[in-house]
Amino acid sequence: MNLVQRDQAFVWHPFTPQKNYLPPIPIVHAKGSLLYDEDGKSYIDAISSWWVNLHGHAHPFIAQRIYEQALQLEQVIFAGFTHRPAVELAEKLLQVLPEGFSKIFYSDNGSTATEVALKMALQYWWNKKELPNRKKIFAFKNAYHGDTFGAMSMSARSVFTRAFQDLFFEVLFIDTPTEENIEAIFATIEEHGHSIAAFIFEPLVQGAGGMNMYAAKHLDAIIRKVRQYDIITIADEVMTGFFRTGKFFACMHLQESPDILCMSKGLTGGTMALGATACVAKIHDAYISDDPLHTFFHGHSFTANPLACTAALASMELLRDPACLHRIEQLCMAVQDLAIRLQESQSNFSIPVKNIRYTGTILAFEITEGANNYLHAAGSQITQKALQTGIYLRPLGNTVYLMPPYCFQKNEWEKVEAFIFQLLS
């Protein structure tokens, strides 16, 4: 059997129907923005391999750092031990996070980073038994916070969660804010505020929920409102962190700062699995107690894995390079320019589109034929058309989006632009 046949015989792929699915493409190596299959054909990775890759594939600087670390320490239990990469990474993250954060808790992916945040917030109230007993969560409609049970509970009821939603804890979903609905959102907060433990949100961009974008000023207003009820605020920056929105973290577009912030995906430059959850001193202080039951009983076998922390340190070093910051700035400008040209050409497209939007390095729009949903046939059809031209796109149903790595070359961007205009014309 060849590699694809062996894969189909033994491997179960994520987000993939198990009947009549197309054979996976065997990728044998990658460099920069390009993925190469076993026949040598290249594909432009226009979505950063599920939004994780920042600096390009097989980056030699990150690879060398991982290699050097692997010769010293590859893994050690993080309960009772520590190591230089974990400590240095925590120090560097706290230097670039919004002001006020004091501690970093490590996990191993985006779902676990949000799971940690949820448990931190809920146990905060449990540890402070003299305070009101709060167990409910505020979250936005169309949210997606991961695939573990707590993360699913805080996510919109959708195709991702339908089989499990009878088992979820209570979450009060509010609309993503606009000028028209902000007062209604305030009314909901006033009605339920004293029973809410935490408010979780994807700042400015809701990723898997359809790349929905909303204004920073409205999120600021909601954060100020929930703070009137001492509700803990959790920013899920798993996707939006590390300059995806043009700033180091999307929360830096805000006037208000959250109490807890979740990171993963771009944290290691897309090289290794790692999650991190940052919290302000107020949260951590609730766990400082003579009562051992106030301990945060949470951890993972690969918590603060030295290789993953080393990859993150290397990625952070690259992000501070002026050349990388310039490329990010150029990519933001290219995204804005493409969005404007799509808006100007919209009336001439043979395939109708709507809601052309962008922020930072992210651009998105909807194909308007049929209902908006993840199972829309347009997604897989566009993926196949793009692959035929040497481009990898993975629309969220009928939501087409671009989120390229920061090493994207001018000719690669032009090829992706040409494909989109050809697709719609």
Side-chain angles (χ1 to χ4, degrees), residues 9 24 57 63 139 147 154 166 206 244 256 259 263 283 288 321 336 350 381 417:
H57 295 278
D147 296 327
M154 298 184 294
D166 290 343
Q206 293 181 300
R244 286 300 185 192
E256 304 294 329
D259 301 309
M263 298 163 274
I283 303 299
I288 302 173
D321 186 335
Q336 180 183 24
S350 60
Q381 293 169 2
E417 281 188 330

Side-chain angles (χ1 to χ4, degrees), residues 114 116-125 132-140 145 154 169-174 189 192-201 222 226-227 229-235 259-260 282-283:
T114 58
V116 166
L118 170 67
K119 291 176 68 175
M120 274 184 183
L122 291 174
Q123 190 176 338
Y124 169 89
W125 292 105
N133 187 18
R134 303 194 186 201
K135 297 180 180 179
K136 298 177 184 178
I137 305 294
F138 269 145
F140 282 139
H145 297 292
M154 298 184 294
F169 55 77
E170 186 173 0
V171 176
L172 297 176
F173 290 101
I174 56 179
I189 295 169
H192 299 282
H194 291 297
S195 65
I196 301 297
F199 164 49
I200 187 168
F201 54 89
I222 293 175
V226 300
R227 286 226 163 106
Y229 298 87
D230 295 324
I231 295 169
I232 294 168
T233 53
I234 303 171
D259 301 309
I260 301 174
K282 163 188 163 182
I283 303 299

Side-chain angles (χ1 to χ4, degrees), residues 324-363:
C324 179
L325 295 174
H326 177 69
R327 288 194 298 271
I328 293 170
E329 183 181 359
Q330 294 296 111
L331 182 56
C332 290
M333 292 171 60
V335 165
Q336 180 183 24
D337 177 70
L338 176 55
I340 292 170
R341 291 194 291 117
L342 286 170
Q343 289 164 350
E344 292 173 344
S345 305
Q346 191 171 358
S347 60
N348 299 322
F349 292 146
S350 60
I351 296 179
V353 300
K354 67 178 180 180
N355 197 16
I356 299 166
R357 58 202 182 275
Y358 68 94
T359 185
T361 67
I362 308 167
L363 179 144

Side-chain angles (χ1 to χ4, degrees), residues 160-175:
F160 303 124
T161 64
R162 190 160 296 165
F164 315 104
Q165 56 197 38
D166 290 343
L167 304 173
F168 296 159
F169 55 77
E170 186 173 0
V171 176
L172 297 176
F173 290 101
I174 56 179
D175 291 322

Side-chain angles (χ1 to χ4, degrees), residues 54-247:
L54 299 186
H55 309 290
H57 295 278
H59 197 287
F61 181 74
I62 299 177
Q64 181 65 29
R65 289 291 180 86
I66 294 172
Y67 167 73
E68 292 168 358
Q69 180 61 43
L71 295 176
Q72 297 179 29
L73 176 67
E74 83 301 338
Q75 168 63 9
V76 66
I77 182 175
F78 207 59
F81 290 100
T82 192
H83 51 80
R84 179 193 57 79
V87 174
E88 287 190 5
L89 179 57
E91 291 171 339
K92 293 188 183 301
L93 286 172
L94 291 171
Q95 289 170 8
V96 297
L97 281 162
E99 187 176 352
F101 288 96
S102 66
K103 294 286 183 179
I104 301 292
F105 191 98
Y106 292 111
S107 57
D108 49 17
N109 61 61
S111 294
T112 57
T114 58
E115 200 85 13
V116 166
L118 170 67
K119 291 176 68 175
M120 274 184 183
L122 291 174
Q123 190 176 338
Y124 169 89
W125 292 105
W126 187 87
N127 284 0
K128 291 179 170 290
K129 290 184 172 61
E130 75 279 6
L131 296 176
N133 187 18
R134 303 194 186 201
K135 297 180 180 179
K136 298 177 184 178
I137 305 294
F138 269 145
F140 282 139
K141 295 175 182 177
N142 299 312
Y144 179 88
H145 297 292
D147 296 327
T148 51
F149 257 84
M152 284 195 298
S153 292
M154 298 184 294
S155 301
R157 306 302 178 247
S158 67
V159 296
F160 303 124
T161 64
R162 190 160 296 165
F164 315 104
Q165 56 197 38
D166 290 343
L167 304 173
F168 296 159
F169 55 77
E170 186 173 0
V171 176
L172 297 176
F173 290 101
I174 56 179
D175 291 322
T176 48
T178 65
E179 204 72 49
E180 293 73 30
N181 68 17
I182 193 74
E183 292 300 327
I185 293 172
F186 288 167
T188 301
I189 295 169
E190 290 168 358
E191 181 181 357
H192 299 282
H194 291 297
S195 65
I196 301 297
F199 164 49
I200 187 168
F201 54 89
E202 298 158 275
L204 306 193
V205 187
Q206 293 181 300
M211 294 297 166
N212 304 310
M213 301 180 188
Y214 61 98
K217 67 176 182 178
H218 297 317
L219 181 55
D220 268 325
I222 293 175
I223 293 174
R224 285 192 289 268
K225 189 68 175 180
V226 300
R227 286 226 163 106
Q228 295 176 11
Y229 298 87
D230 295 324
I231 295 169
I232 294 168
T233 53
I234 303 171
D236 177 354
E237 293 245 22
V238 169
M239 184 271 281
T240 55
F242 306 100
F243 289 102
R244 286 300 185 192
T245 65
K247 291 184 181 290

